[in-house]
Amino acid sequence: MYDINLFNQTADAISTVGSYLATRGWAPATSGNYSCRLNEQLVAITVSGKSKGELTRDDIMVVDLSAKAVGSNKKPSDEAMLHTSLYQHDAQIAAVLHTHSVYATVLSRYYASMGQMRLENYELLKVFSGNTTHDMEVLIPIFANSQDMQYLSAQVIDYLKHNPNIHGYLIVGHGLYTWGKSLADAKRHAEAWEFLFECELLHLKINGVLL
Ligand SMILES: [Zn+2]
């Protein structure tokens, strides 16, 4: 099982990050879901359908790595499997954040046919774990949206197995998944992605690609 004090601390930390992401407008209308690893087998994750800016301990639950509820009959987010498959894939992943921002949604649709977005020469690329220079490119893959979480998570994990050093992905018309070795790491990555998406969209506009 798990340590209840650890669960409470983790739930509070998720709530704090949730209210920050909500103030940025990245999780409108109960969208988004967040999780944090408790141990090798279990994960604390937001329940389905709550406003992510007003989370309490009661809105966070425990699931195992197959996304099944542990110790309660609460319902996890429909997308819980997209979280747990990441924890299964990489033991170093300690937190996963999924947001639904305007920029992520618009760009995921714009670049959908390319299957990825390429970000180059931004200073903020150094923010991603393991990067030491702006003089590089970072790829973010884009997957078609699906309500079949088993199918979608299998596609994502297959991609990650063949492409290490990926820090997030987009789902078309839907939003961003990103992660880190701690909740703070994942939050930093979410902020970096959102900054880069905003830059990219403004870049397309300023160059007249988008009106
Ligand atoms: Zn979603």
Side-chain angles (χ1 to χ4, degrees), residues 21-22 25-34 48-54 100:
L21 298 175
W26 298 339
T30 77
S31 68
N33 35 71
Y34 315 130
S48 181
K50 292 292 172 82
S51 171
K52 301 304 180 299
E54 299 156 8
H100 282 217

Side-chain angles (χ1 to χ4, degrees), residues 32-33 79 98 100 174 177:
N33 35 71
E79 296 175 35
H98 167 51
H100 282 217
H174 181 160
Y177 269 83

Side-chain angles (χ1 to χ4, degrees), residues 100-111:
H100 282 217
S101 75
V102 170
Y103 293 111
T105 304
V106 170
L107 285 173
S108 67
R109 290 166 61 101
Y110 182 71
Y111 286 108

